[in-house]
């Protein structure tokens, strides 16, 4: 039995493996917690941004603010609109512009679903004490901000242009036949 657990122990030394599996578990918890409200975590995030500061935003502006591609944002807004949680309308400030606003039902859903999200996150973090949970959250926030803009860092031996099969800092690549 000990030999069967060993490969997993090797994987738990890898940051990517740990982050992926922690994310999958948290995602399952959030999905279950939000199901009674009829929203998914991505939809709750969009509702949160729409309601956050009262600034009118178009679908494209929301997509840019959240980091979603435009096609995905259209699908999310379509889903929220079909549930009566958001509405598309002409901007009061610029009649040429369409904006997305939260409905009264969307505001109620946001408040209740966000409470369930917070409870699910607290349950996920329960194995940690309060200081550890805050340290983890702050470390993840730091990584998020450090990597949110710009190209991915170039790894040692990786071509900065991302060309497959070519490396920097060593012998020149053999000519291709």
């Amino acid at each position: 039995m000990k030999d069967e657990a060993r490969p997993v122990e090797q994987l738990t030394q890898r940051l990517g493996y740990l982050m992926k599996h922690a994310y999958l578990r948290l995602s399952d918890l959030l999905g279950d917690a939000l199901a009674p409200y009829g929203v998914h975590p991505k939809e709750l995030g969009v509702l949160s941004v729409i309601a956050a500061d009262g600034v009118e935003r178009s679908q494209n502006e929301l997509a840019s603010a959240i980091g979603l591609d435009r096609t995905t944002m259209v699908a999310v807004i379509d889903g929220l609109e079909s549930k009566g949680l958001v509405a598309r309308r002409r901007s009061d400030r610029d009649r040429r512009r369409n904006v997305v606003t939260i409905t009264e039902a969307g505001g109620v859903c946001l408040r209740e679903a966000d409470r369930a999200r917070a409870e699910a996150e607290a349950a996920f973090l329960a194995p940690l004490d309060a200081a550890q949970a805050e340290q983890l959250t702050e470390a993840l926030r730091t990584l998020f901000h450090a990597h949110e803009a710009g190209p991915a860092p170039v790894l040692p031996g990786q071509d900065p242009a991302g060309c497959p099969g070519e490396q920097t800092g060593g012998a020149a690549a053999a000519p291709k036949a």
Side-chain angles (χ1 to χ4, degrees):
M1 272 313 224
K2 229 177 183 117
D3 289 338
E4 290 176 23
R6 189 145 177 76
V8 173
E9 283 303 313
Q10 286 180 317
L11 292 176
T12 62
Q13 302 308 305
R14 297 178 181 188
L15 179 61
Y17 181 86
L18 293 171
M19 290 184 76
K20 173 187 167 189
H21 286 275
Y23 165 76
L24 291 172
R25 288 186 179 96
L26 178 59
S27 183
D28 286 345
L29 276 173
L30 289 172
D32 292 345
L34 298 178
Y37 306 98
V39 293
H40 301 285
K42 189 180 298 181
E43 292 173 319
L44 183 60
V46 170
L47 286 173
S48 296
V49 171
I50 293 169
D53 55 13
V55 173
E56 289 185 341
R57 290 186 177 90
S58 68
Q59 285 180 179
N60 288 343
E61 291 167 335
L62 285 168
S64 179
I66 296 171
L68 287 177
D69 63 89
R70 291 184 301 177
T71 303
T72 301
M73 181 57 73
V74 168
V76 171
I77 297 297
D78 285 349
L80 290 170
E81 189 173 40
S82 72
K83 297 171 189 176
L85 303 177
V86 300
R88 291 176 173 110
R89 65 171 180 77
R90 293 264 182 226
S91 170
D92 293 334
R93 292 183 313 215
D94 182 351
R95 302 294 296 160
R96 297 168 295 174
R97 196 165 156 253
N98 289 318
V99 294
V100 181
T101 59
I102 194 163
T103 63
E104 187 176 328
V108 171
C109 178
L110 172 60
R111 284 187 297 280
E112 293 175 0
D114 201 48
R115 197 172 6 258
R117 176 210 46 86
E119 290 170 5
E121 287 178 0
F124 178 77
L125 293 171
L128 306 176
D129 65 34
Q132 290 172 318
E134 181 56 35
Q135 287 173 333
L136 174 63
T137 303
E138 195 55 40
L140 290 171
R141 189 175 295 114
T142 298
L143 289 171
F144 171 80
H145 289 299
H147 299 293
E148 74 179 321
V154 176
L155 302 175
Q158 181 184 37
D159 185 308
C163 298
E166 299 197 16
Q167 296 186 352
T168 59
K176 295 183 179 162

